[in-house]
Amino acid sequence: MSSKLNSISFKLGLLFSGVFITLLLLLGLILYGVFTNMFVDYIKQDLLAKGQNHARILAEDFNQSAINHVVEMEKGVMTDVLVTDNKQQFVAFSKKPDEEMVDHLITKSLSNGTILEEDWKQHSYLISVTPIGDHLGYVYMYYPASILREIVFVMNLLLIVATIGILLLAFGLIGILSRRLTRPLLYMKEATSKMAMGMYKQNIPVNGNDEVAQLGLSIKNLGDQLQYFEESRSDFLAAVSHELRTPLTYLKGYSDILNKDMIKDRKEQKEYLTIINKEAHRLSILINDLFEMSKLQTGQFVLKKELTNINHVIRKATKNLNPVANEKGIGLILNLNEELPEISIDPQRMEQVIYNLIENAIKYTSQGTITIKSKLIRDFIVLQISDTGIGIPSEDLPKIWERFYRVDQSRTRKTGGSGLGLYVVKQIIDAHNGNIQVKSKENEGSVFTIYLEKEENNEKDTNS
């Protein structure tokens, strides 16, 4: 018997029971007070509102017809109305005034409506008064306090019955739960201790689908998330450094060529300087994207749209990537429809999209070609970037648009991908109300297809 009294189940049950009863009593008192106060306040505000409404009607036309109309409005409802002149003489009423009504007639003039009586426990009515116009008279509104007392009595009765029922049910449940809680709690304690030491992934052996089991599952999921965040944190610097390093590599390479005077003529020098300028601008955009990441996620991405020939954007992006493709022996093939209409887009952002997709294709293609197409399909301008690279596993296709997601860590180390490029691509296309799709097969290549609605874009530009 002594061991049972000292058991954690008994102590836990006793503690839960004491806390539960205390909280239940406090909650009952709070609910009683809140409900009563809110209900009384509602009645007072309703009385004032009705009085003000009636006073406004009578102020516009203080005659017998308007007075009769006001009285008729209060027949068949809980409230009553009494209309007096400026000398407190009865003009009309929905219920014959009793002694308490007469006792509460005001003795001085008022400029605004007010509550004359709000003590519903000691008096027969809650009473409000509102002046009519410029000292024409007064509108008195009455709400029977007996109705309010009956409502509060019923509420108290329901609270008592509910409390007794909840207590009986709670004692039984607490006894059962206290015993069931103690077993998995020990497992959870051990798991959380390991998580505190950095071993985030834990398997907690709990069964069922009750609150304790859900708590165990939540701790396990928390550990998985902490592990993911820890890995993401370590990958973040590497990912960002790569995204910044790519344009810096171009800047360093072409500036070295210029610095070492390894150019043939003025035209080639100008071409290299143009590429350096473009890469410096791209570097600025990449840095800005890191600060605008939250805007990308919430869709608050500001575009600077203008009517643009999409083929011109494709050629600009391709020109900057030609040296990289040539270095790997990969051919960039342009198959562009030269009769495409201009559409309203942000040319810099769309160049970033095409740049990222072609750069991705170059990274994951060791030999073959990359084809960039533009065509018109009904009301859509369609861009297509296809490669003969290593492809993407089908199970990874839904995840490639996530921020910093990389398909395979091993091949990422070889190619230097960060997972930021496709995320930015998806957000920019979405901001243009477009759509991007991908088809891929491992060891055969990938095809990224962008759909931009021709008519919608033109209308938006016209309206702006």
Side-chain angles (χ1 to χ4, degrees), residues 70-87:
V70 167
V71 172
E72 286 296 324
M73 289 176 67
E74 294 302 326
K75 288 184 177 180
V77 296
M78 293 183 182
T79 53
D80 289 300
V81 64
L82 169 64
V83 181
T84 68
D85 58 20
N86 58 359
K87 297 180 180 179

Side-chain angles (χ1 to χ4, degrees), residues 19 29-30 113 142 192 198 248 274 300 332 347 416 450:
V19 171
L29 292 173
I30 292 171
Y142 304 89
T192 52
L248 288 174
T274 300
Q300 299 174 348
L332 293 183
I450 299 171

Side-chain angles (χ1 to χ4, degrees), residues 145-202:
S146 59
I147 298 176
L148 182 56
R149 286 193 288 267
E150 288 175 6
I151 293 173
V152 172
F153 174 77
V154 172
M155 185 192 72
N156 288 339
L157 188 61
L158 289 175
L159 280 175
I160 292 172
V161 173
T163 300
I164 293 173
I166 291 173
L167 284 175
L168 292 176
L169 180 62
F171 286 146
L173 290 176
I174 287 173
I176 297 171
L177 289 175
S178 61
R179 287 192 295 271
R180 293 188 62 186
L181 277 171
T182 53
R183 289 193 298 270
L185 283 175
L186 295 175
Y187 293 121
M188 296 178 198
K189 177 181 178 299
E190 183 180 357
T192 52
S193 297
K194 291 180 179 178
M195 289 168 62
M197 294 186 290
M199 296 178 286
Y200 299 119
K201 285 196 173 183
Q202 295 295 323

Side-chain angles (χ1 to χ4, degrees), residues 413-430:
R413 283 191 291 268
K414 295 177 182 178
T415 58
S418 71
L420 180 62
L422 290 181
Y423 170 80
V424 173
V425 165
K426 181 70 166 63
Q427 299 301 321
I428 293 175
I429 295 299
D430 287 347

Side-chain angles (χ1 to χ4, degrees), residues 116-301:
L116 290 179
E117 184 57 68
E118 56 182 323
D119 185 359
W120 56 274
K121 295 180 181 179
Q122 302 295 330
H123 291 270
S124 301
Y125 303 99
L126 271 70
I127 307 173
S128 74
V129 60
T130 306
I132 303 172
D134 187 15
H135 302 295
L136 295 176
Y138 298 90
V139 175
Y140 293 85
M141 296 299 302
Y142 304 89
Y143 185 91
S146 59
I147 298 176
L148 182 56
R149 286 193 288 267
E150 288 175 6
I151 293 173
V152 172
F153 174 77
V154 172
M155 185 192 72
N156 288 339
L157 188 61
L158 289 175
L159 280 175
I160 292 172
V161 173
T163 300
I164 293 173
I166 291 173
L167 284 175
L168 292 176
L169 180 62
F171 286 146
L173 290 176
I174 287 173
I176 297 171
L177 289 175
S178 61
R179 287 192 295 271
R180 293 188 62 186
L181 277 171
T182 53
R183 289 193 298 270
L185 283 175
L186 295 175
Y187 293 121
M188 296 178 198
K189 177 181 178 299
E190 183 180 357
T192 52
S193 297
K194 291 180 179 178
M195 289 168 62
M197 294 186 290
M199 296 178 286
Y200 299 119
K201 285 196 173 183
Q202 295 295 323
N203 184 27
I204 301 175
V206 290
N207 299 318
N209 193 34
D210 58 14
E211 290 82 356
V212 178
Q214 291 175 9
L215 176 60
L217 181 61
S218 296
I219 293 175
K220 179 181 179 299
N221 291 338
L222 176 62
D224 293 342
Q225 290 179 12
L226 288 173
Q227 184 67 37
Y228 171 77
F229 290 141
E230 180 68 19
E231 293 171 356
S232 297
R233 186 184 68 170
S234 60
D235 289 345
F236 180 80
L237 288 177
V240 172
S241 65
H242 167 72
E243 289 296 319
L244 298 176
R245 186 173 62 248
T246 302
L248 288 174
T249 300
Y250 294 135
L251 291 173
K252 184 177 183 302
Y254 286 111
S255 62
D256 282 347
I257 293 175
L258 293 172
N259 190 46
K260 295 175 181 178
D261 205 20
M262 298 168 58
I263 54 175
K264 299 177 182 178
D265 50 34
R266 178 67 178 173
K267 182 179 179 182
E268 186 177 7
Q269 181 188 36
K270 185 176 180 180
E271 180 181 349
Y272 289 165
L273 288 173
T274 300
I275 293 174
I276 289 173
N277 182 268
K278 289 286 184 181
E279 292 303 322
H281 182 63
R282 177 171 174 250
L283 181 62
S284 175
I285 293 176
L286 287 173
I287 294 173
N288 188 57
D289 282 343
L290 294 174
F291 291 103
E292 293 184 355
M293 201 62 69
S294 60
K295 293 181 181 179
L296 283 168
Q297 288 181 300
T298 57
Q300 299 174 348
F301 197 47

